[in-house]
Amino acid sequence: MIDTLLTSELFLEALGETLYMLGIALFFGSILGVLLGIAVVVTRPAGVLPNAIVSFVLNAFINVVRSLPFIILLVAILPFTRVVVGTSIGVNGALVPLTLMVAPYIGRLVENSLLEVPEGIVEAAKSMGATPVQIFTRFLLPEARGSLVLALTTATIGLLDATAMAGTVGAGGIGDLAISYGYQRFDGITMLITVITLVVIVQCIQLFGTRLARKLRRR
């Protein structure tokens, strides 16, 4: 009942691939997502630099990408993925769709976090003659940093789920291990180990994000 084809080498390799995809996609996705979120807040009708056209385009892009299931997005942009990284399969082939998936998600979360800041703070900043850059860097971002950390924590967990789904198309990682060994070979031990691993990673991410957000809100 405890026979399994899983070895420590296979498990560590799959875990490393998952962490690699998670780290790289989160890094670039966070940069793009934060920029998207700030741009949406800035250009909204009541924003610091209102621009109806830019606001419409950004919101449309975010909504379109977020409306696509990750598997469909992964397949739909295969030509673009090949152009960017030279391949559409394997770990590197999953980085582009993972980044494009998480960036709009982070952008929307960042927008929500920034909009939670009381308008009185922005009005006070304007009355003191603060520039748009100063309003964001010295007022909005410090007030929203706890919420932003929780937003990035949520996005990281969602991205981890996507890396597991990417395994169904041969992208490697824990998801590929669960499909190739746990499901296709009816290896219950492998499936159990992959599930426990993902649960532990999610719990660690959530615990770290919650504690960090709590510390930032106390300052």
Side-chain angles (χ1 to χ4, degrees):
M1 293 179 62
I2 60 174
D3 287 343
T4 177
L5 297 174
L6 181 65
T7 64
S8 58
E9 290 79 9
L10 284 174
F11 174 75
L12 292 176
E13 181 182 1
L15 179 61
E17 290 172 345
T18 292
L19 296 178
Y20 171 77
M21 289 188 288
L22 183 66
I24 299 298
L26 183 63
F27 176 76
F28 290 105
S30 295
I31 294 175
L32 294 175
V34 170
L35 292 177
L36 273 175
I38 292 176
V40 169
V41 173
V42 168
T43 58
R44 62 194 294 265
V48 180
L49 298 172
N51 189 310
I53 296 178
V54 174
S55 178
F56 174 80
V57 171
L58 292 177
N59 278 287
F61 170 75
I62 292 175
N63 292 334
V64 168
V65 176
R66 289 188 63 197
S67 66
L68 296 175
F70 175 69
I71 294 297
I72 295 178
L73 175 65
L74 187 151
V75 175
I77 64 170
L78 284 178
F80 177 70
T81 301
R82 293 192 191 99
V83 172
V84 175
V85 296
T87 181
S88 59
I89 60 175
V91 175
N92 290 329
L95 293 178
V96 174
L98 285 171
T99 301
L100 290 181
M101 182 278 295
V102 78
Y105 185 51
I106 292 177
R108 192 62 79 194
L109 291 174
V110 169
E111 177 194 6
N112 294 335
S113 297
L114 294 176
L115 292 179
E116 288 178 359
V117 177
E119 293 185 3
I121 294 178
V122 178
E123 295 299 327
K126 290 180 179 179
S127 66
M128 290 186 289
T131 65
V133 174
Q134 291 173 331
I135 291 175
F136 267 99
T137 58
R138 299 185 182 182
F139 294 91
L140 278 178
L141 292 181
E143 288 293 326
R145 58 189 179 184
S147 180
L148 288 172
V149 169
L150 290 178
L152 289 176
T153 300
T154 301
T156 303
I157 294 173
L159 182 61
L160 179 63
D161 293 341
T163 64
M165 286 188 289
T168 62
V169 292
I174 297 296
D176 182 51
L177 191 68
I179 296 297
S180 300
Y181 287 84
Y183 176 71
Q184 295 179 351
R185 304 186 185 186
F186 303 100
D187 191 335
I189 299 300
T190 296
M191 186 65 72
L192 178 63
I193 291 175
T194 55
V195 169
I196 293 175
T197 301
L198 291 174
V199 170
V200 170
I201 294 175
V202 168
Q203 293 301 316
C204 291
I205 293 172
Q206 187 64 61
L207 181 63
F208 175 77
T210 302
R211 289 188 174 182
L212 179 58
R214 188 180 298 121
K215 289 182 180 180
L216 291 174
R217 284 175 171 172
R218 288 176 179 174
R219 294 180 181 177

